[in-house]
Each structure stands twice: as structure tokens, then as C-alpha cells.
Amino acid sequence: MADGHPERRVVDILTGAWQAQALHAAAALAIPDHIHAGHTTAAALAAATDCDKDAVERLMRLLTAIGVFAGTADTGYRLTPAGDLLRTDHARSMRDMALVYGQEFHRAWGAVTAAVRTGTSGFEHAFGVPLREHLATDPPAAARFQRAMNAGNVFFQDVPAVHDFPATGTVVDVAGGAGALLAAVLQARPGLDGILFDIPPVTVFAEESLGRTLDAGRYRTVGGNVFEEVPAGGDVYLLSRVLQDWDDAHCRRLLANIRAAMPAHARLLVVERVVADHGQCLLPLLWDLHLLMAAGGRERTLDGYRTLLGGAGLRLEAVHRLPLETSLLVAAPAKDDK
């Protein structure tokens, strides 16, 4: 407790959303872009964003206090490393993440009570349709959502460092989105090539994204349904933050399809946040409830993942820690699996 009083602890928790929404406002108004362009005083920012000067100064005062910006209204504001990540043109920009979390996900969390009562997603309560259906009918939102998901992938660069990939062969990224993880692996292992497998609308984003980072001959995209079949014969299969979106029945079907496609020597790498038995790792717990709000999904314990894998003819071989309380689970075909 910040000052020894339980009341302060309650207030700190309750006002946490205000900090998030202030960050969202800065991203929506492109304030980091304007500061980067030289509009650094409160007056200059108000003019650049067409906002009230007093309101801008008060917003910046809060965001400076929590470390997003530095400086003052009169002498000018500067970008901190955190604020710099909200620039649109930053190589690892998190601006779209701030937009999605401050808009769609903020509305979904507004239905948290209804979601807990019914066990169905807060997003569906708030928007009237599931997240996937909403994105399927709104291409700009889908593109922003995909960029937002990519923004949280800072741990992808660590995957080739903690797992011993083969020198040559094929990596199949199952439901791989824009292909950020596949690109990180192929850039670190020049002898490998890759297949990005996802639904056809998503493979369009993947083609654009992979084309910016990899030579055309090193990858191809394949459209399809992960619950029907996945490309066979890969040496390594990637499954990043996919199981979290589905119930156990869908996960077992997906994993069984991957197992059916895997040669005996292949490995499946699963990137997920694992809920610890002691409950002291906060991010997996936050994301677990957030997944209920967003899409009706969930995070699982290590035993939960082990059970899912075992039911599909796979055995958990190793667990590696990644940044942001994320884990890399390595699974192999079960020895007695036919």
C-alpha cells in the first residue's frame, strides 16, 4: 500500500483505468507524433491537435507524472522511451495497441459484470456480436487490431534464443497472423524457410508484413481453417497466443490437427501466458480475465496445457520463460502415439 492505508490501495486500483484512458487519448490525438515533429509546448500541442490548451496541459501533466512524457507546458515536453513507442512511425509502435485497448476493449470491459454472470465475452455484451464477427465485417478495425496484436510481441525475438531450432527445414506458423513470430525465427535462422497458415483475409496482411522483412523465396502463405487441417511435413510448428482464444474442445481439435501433420521428429512451440499455481504472476491473471472480456477465451495453468497436449497425442518436453511473463512450451509427439 502506497501510504499504509487500505483505502489508498482501493483508490489506486479504481483509478488505474484513468491512466489507461489518458494514454489512449494521447495516442488518439497523435501527441507523440506532434512532439516528435517539434510541437512541444502545451500551446503548440493544442494548436496541432485542435484541442483546448488547458485540457491538453492537464492531460500532459498526468502523463508526465506517470512517465510517458517529460518536461513542462512552458519549456516543452519530451518523449520518454515509453512515449516514443506511441509514435505512429516507430519500428515497434504500440499506438494501435493503445487505440484498441482504449476503444473496443475498454467498452468490452464495461460489460465485465454481465460477462462474469454469463461466462460469455464482454465484447459480445457491449457490441452485440463476437469479436471475430465484428472484425470480419470491419476491415479497418481488423487491420488496426492485427497491428495492435503485433505491438505486444516484444518477446518474439527471444524465441530463437531459448529454443534450439534445426539448421535447415520448414517452420509452419499456425494461425500466425501477420507473421511477426515467423519472421523473427527466419531472420535468426537463415537456413530455415517458412509457411504462414491462417484464414485467407489474414494472409493478405501476412504477405505485406513478411514481404517487408524476408526474401520472397523464404516463405509462403497458405489460407485455410485450423480446425480442418494444417500444412503437413513441417519440422517446427508455431502456435502463438492461439489456444488462449478457444475453449478446451476447440483446442483439442486444433492440436490434434497439428499432431496429424507433424512428422515424428517435429516439435510444436506454443507461446502463451501460463497461470502460476501460486497466483503471484499478475499479467497472466490480468490477461485471463481480459480474454473473457474480449473473446470468451482464457489462460491456463501448466497442468491445463499439459492435459490439452496429452489429449492430442503430444507431450510437454520443455518450458522456457520469455519476457512479459510469457512462456514458450515445447511439445513433441508422444512416444506411444501411433
Side-chain angles (χ1 to χ4, degrees):
M1 291 176 286
D3 58 8
H5 294 283
E7 294 86 353
R8 173 60 189 269
R9 180 58 181 150
V10 172
V11 169
D12 283 345
I13 295 171
L14 290 175
T15 56
W18 300 353
Q19 297 184 42
Q21 288 307 107
L23 189 71
H24 165 256
L29 294 169
I31 286 177
D33 291 340
H34 292 304
I35 292 176
H36 186 64
H39 307 287
T40 61
T41 66
L45 286 174
T49 59
D50 193 26
C51 290
D52 178 79
K53 177 180 176 295
D54 178 65
V56 167
E57 185 171 346
R58 292 160 69 181
L59 173 66
M60 295 299 293
R61 185 166 56 192
L62 171 60
L63 291 172
T64 299
I66 62 177
V68 179
F69 302 109
T72 68
D74 296 326
T75 61
Y77 297 106
R78 305 183 305 279
L79 297 174
T80 66
D84 200 42
L85 287 172
L86 297 177
R87 281 173 35 217
T88 304
D89 61 351
H90 194 287
R92 301 190 313 278
S93 176
M94 300 181 77
R95 180 173 185 255
D96 284 297
M97 189 174 181
L99 295 177
V100 170
Y101 276 66
Q103 295 176 33
E104 288 94 338
F105 287 165
H106 183 67
R107 284 183 59 186
W109 270 91
V112 60
T113 303
V116 171
R117 279 180 174 152
T118 63
T120 55
S121 77
F123 190 96
E124 190 167 354
H125 284 286
F127 287 83
V129 296
L131 174 62
R132 294 180 189 88
E133 185 176 331
H134 171 75
L135 296 178
T137 58
D138 189 340
R144 186 173 66 250
F145 181 83
Q146 191 63 60
R147 292 193 300 268
M149 296 306 99
N150 288 344
N153 296 337
V154 295
F155 44 80
F156 280 0
Q157 303 300 323
D158 293 77
V159 171
V162 300
H163 179 71
D164 186 18
F165 283 84
T168 61
T170 299
V171 179
V172 182
D173 196 354
V174 180
L181 176 55
L182 180 62
V185 171
L186 297 188
Q187 286 176 316
R189 298 291 188 274
L192 295 172
D193 57 26
I195 297 173
L196 189 291
F197 182 72
D198 213 316
I199 58 175
V202 174
T203 58
V204 175
F205 298 126
E207 284 283 357
E208 296 174 358
S209 177
L210 292 171
R212 290 193 294 267
T213 56
L214 298 171
D215 293 334
R218 295 198 62 199
Y219 71 91
R220 61 189 176 95
T221 61
V222 178
N225 186 336
V226 297
F227 298 110
E228 295 177 358
E229 63 178 358
V230 302
D235 299 284
V236 179
Y237 285 78
L238 306 176
L239 195 63
S240 176
R241 298 184 302 177
V242 175
L243 299 179
Q244 66 177 19
D245 292 334
W246 300 98
D247 59 28
D248 287 357
H250 281 88
C251 288
R252 284 192 293 267
R253 189 183 315 161
L254 168 56
L255 290 169
N257 288 341
I258 294 175
R259 174 62 191 97
M262 293 172 66
H265 70 273
R267 293 294 183 268
L268 168 63
L269 307 187
V270 178
V271 178
E272 293 284 359
R273 285 191 170 94
V274 177
V275 175
D277 293 333
H278 53 70
Q280 293 178 355
C281 294
L282 187 59
L283 284 181
L285 303 180
L286 285 168
W287 250 266
D288 179 47
L289 194 58
H290 171 67
L291 288 166
L292 175 59
M293 297 306 109
R298 69 184 308 132
E299 302 287 15
R300 294 173 171 86
T301 64
L302 192 59
D303 282 343
Y305 287 115
R306 186 181 284 112
T307 298
L308 285 178
L309 293 166
L314 296 159
R315 60 182 174 83
L316 184 61
E317 189 175 64
V319 180
H320 303 286
R321 291 185 178 181
L322 297 173
L324 296 180
E325 296 179 24
T326 305
S327 296
L328 177 68
L329 312 181
V330 182
K335 292 181 179 179
D336 59 352
D337 183 57
K338 303 299 182 183

